[in-house]
Amino acid sequence: MEQQNSVILQVSDLSFAYPDGRQALRGVSLTVREGEKVAITGPNGAGKSTLLLHLNGLLRGRGQVRVAGLDVTDRNLGEIRRLVGLVFQDPDDQLFSPTVFEDVGFGPLYMGLGAAEVRERVCKALAAVGAEGYEARMPHHLSLGERKRIAIATVLAMEPRILVLDEPSSGLDPRGRRRLIGLLQRLPQTMLVASHDMLLVRDLCERTVILDGGQVVADGPTVATLSDRALLEAHGLEMP
Amino acid sequence: MKHTFLDLYREGNSPVHRLDARIKLVATLGFVLAASLLVPGYWPGYLALAAFGVATVSVARVPLRVALGRSLVAVPFALMAAASLPFVRPGRAVFVLSMGSWHLVATDAGCRALAEVLARAWVSILVAGLLTATTPFSDLLAALQSLGLPRLLVALVSFLYRYLFVLVDEAERLWRAREARSARVRGRTSGGVAWRARVLGGLIGSLFIRSYERSERVYQAMLARGFEGEIRSLAAHRAPARDLWVGLALLMALAALVASGYAPWWGG
């Protein structure tokens, strides 16, 4: 149990401004322990996606981000991108290859694994998202729900320790959503999920962080946060 | 969303489908080469090529109507390129085309040359169309790469193919949004040609900007999965020996066909 409770992600006093001058993050601090599933919620433009892009060094702001004891620096970038699997909101951004196999195999291939191991990882990752036998399928022939699940498989194939998902349920019908929530519940990884979908937050995450104006305005157990109507409404959210 | 006009591959399990993609690609290139190297006027050669094409279509169980339809797509281009042939080749006059004071004289040799150009183009496209109908696009890309096309080029074509579908969807949505707002009020004229052109220009511009933004997100998604600027791919399987023999036999048959045009019995 002790290992499960070790800190896996530490963000300290992180600030970031986009080149156009918009200040997206103002001194965000966040500590996540191994195995936690944390929801990051807040109104549009609160800085959720910007924060997620910092977690594997795609954006680099002022302050500190540490993943599994490694600072996000140029030297550690390769290792950190292996540890943190980032799933983008639009699966059409994530699935850029002509076939599912090539997409899911992309991460393992760039980790320098051999052909046999790449194939094995692809099989395992597809099985984990309930998409066995999809290898030869083409992304444009898949439904949005299928594409979302394959997008998750593309990072699972890298066997990350942290899964970071940006609006995983957006655009899905209720059935697709239920299926996705079930899938995410079964995955053992530490998870950071940016979402407005309060039902997903309630069912998946035991801890909720509210971001507004680039700052953490609330951080605590989901049960408590989601029952605080005044807090939710003050930040453009609603009770599930 | 499905775009059948972009999706050339047709599912199937015929011997043609199962043949290794590299062999098919080389055989197709060999076929096109043979079609362009046939001795002019050697009509048995054209017949043999066309017969081979049609036979392969039926072995592949691609409906003949589909294959023929696709093979005609590129004929207008060949026609455009070769349209002047009947009028420039010296020979016996067949008919005269008059446009005012202009008189164009078509010759028999010229007409034959035009027919031959069209025949060469048509059989080539028939077989090339068969290649794309029986080979998944990703296999075709892998085949191009293992035959020496640079990885960067292969990657570019692969992105082009993948995002063509996304782009067409996006264009359709934009166009539908435009249509939805194109109401017409009785008694008022709707926008003129210049206005319409401006709307279309805006549409294309917006499509370009969306694509540009998407390309940045795709690049980020690649970086997030460990891309560092060098394009990698899994080593291809070796082609089965049987497929190699089939390919070799096809190429030799094509070479024999071209050579036979020079044989004494055809006045070579």
Side-chain angles (χ1 to χ4, degrees), chain A residues 53 56 58-59 78 81-82 84-86 88 90-99 101-116 118-119 136 138-142 147 154-155 158, chain B residues 1-3 6-7 9 11 136-139 141-142 155 157-159 161-163 165-166 169-170 213-237:
Chain A
L53 291 175
N56 70 353
L58 284 174
L59 292 179
R81 287 179 179 165
R82 198 180 63 70
V84 181
L86 182 57
F88 287 71
D90 183 350
D92 280 335
D93 295 341
Q94 184 107 20
L95 305 178
F96 42 72
S97 311
T99 64
F101 175 84
E102 286 164 90
D103 251 320
V104 180
F106 187 92
L109 185 64
Y110 280 77
M111 283 160 61
L113 300 180
V118 169
R119 282 178 227 285
M138 288 178 250
H140 61 268
H141 285 170
L142 304 176
R147 275 181 285 156
T154 64
V155 302
M158 301 171 72
Chain B
M1 225 171 282
K2 295 213 174 192
H3 299 288
L6 290 174
D7 241 344
Y9 178 64
E11 296 271 344
F137 197 78
S138 51
D139 289 4
L141 286 176
V157 177
S158 135
F159 283 125
Y161 179 73
R162 168 70 183 95
Y163 285 104
F165 295 91
V166 177
D169 276 349
E170 237 154 52
E213 287 171 351
R214 185 180 292 280
S215 74
E216 297 216 316
R217 294 197 303 271
V218 170
Y219 183 57
Q220 282 193 327
M222 294 172 70
L223 289 179
R225 281 191 269 156
F227 182 72
E228 279 162 345
E230 175 217 359
I231 291 171
R232 299 187 196 173
S233 55
L234 282 183
H237 294 288

Side-chain angles (χ1 to χ4, degrees), chain B residues 25-68:
Chain B
L25 183 62
V26 171
T28 306
L29 291 175
F31 186 94
V32 173
L33 196 66
S36 36
L37 289 182
L38 274 188
V39 177
Y42 183 44
W43 59 266
Y46 293 110
L47 270 182
L49 288 180
F52 172 79
V54 173
T56 321
V57 166
S58 71
V59 171
R61 288 193 281 268
V62 174
L64 194 61
R65 199 174 43 80
V66 173
L68 290 180

Side-chain angles (χ1 to χ4, degrees), chain B residues 47-125:
Chain B
L47 270 182
L49 288 180
F52 172 79
V54 173
T56 321
V57 166
S58 71
V59 171
R61 288 193 281 268
V62 174
L64 194 61
R65 199 174 43 80
V66 173
L68 290 180
R70 278 189 199 168
S71 70
L72 293 178
V73 169
V75 167
F77 295 97
L79 193 61
M80 213 133 67
S84 63
L85 272 179
F87 310 106
V88 294
R89 283 279 169 95
R92 196 167 50 80
V94 194
F95 64 91
V96 180
L97 211 62
S98 297
M99 285 180 287
S101 58
W102 280 74
H103 299 288
L104 289 172
V105 183
T107 62
D108 57 344
C111 289
R112 269 205 302 278
L114 174 66
E116 277 191 61
V117 167
L118 290 183
R120 287 177 209 264
W122 175 74
V123 289
S124 301
I125 299 158

Side-chain angles (χ1 to χ4, degrees), chain B residues 129-186:
Chain B
L130 191 64
L131 174 70
T132 55
T134 57
T135 319
F137 197 78
S138 51
D139 289 4
L140 216 49
L141 286 176
L144 283 170
Q145 180 167 320
S146 62
L147 291 177
L149 196 70
R151 284 176 178 192
L152 184 63
L153 263 178
V154 174
L156 283 177
V157 177
S158 135
F159 283 125
L160 178 73
Y161 179 73
R162 168 70 183 95
Y163 285 104
L164 206 53
F165 295 91
V166 177
L167 203 65
V168 170
D169 276 349
E170 237 154 52
E172 270 179 5
R173 281 200 297 274
L174 284 171
W175 187 253
R176 216 173 291 134
R178 191 210 83 102
E179 291 284 294
R181 281 173 290 161
S182 301
R184 192 168 282 184
V185 179
R186 204 175 291 231

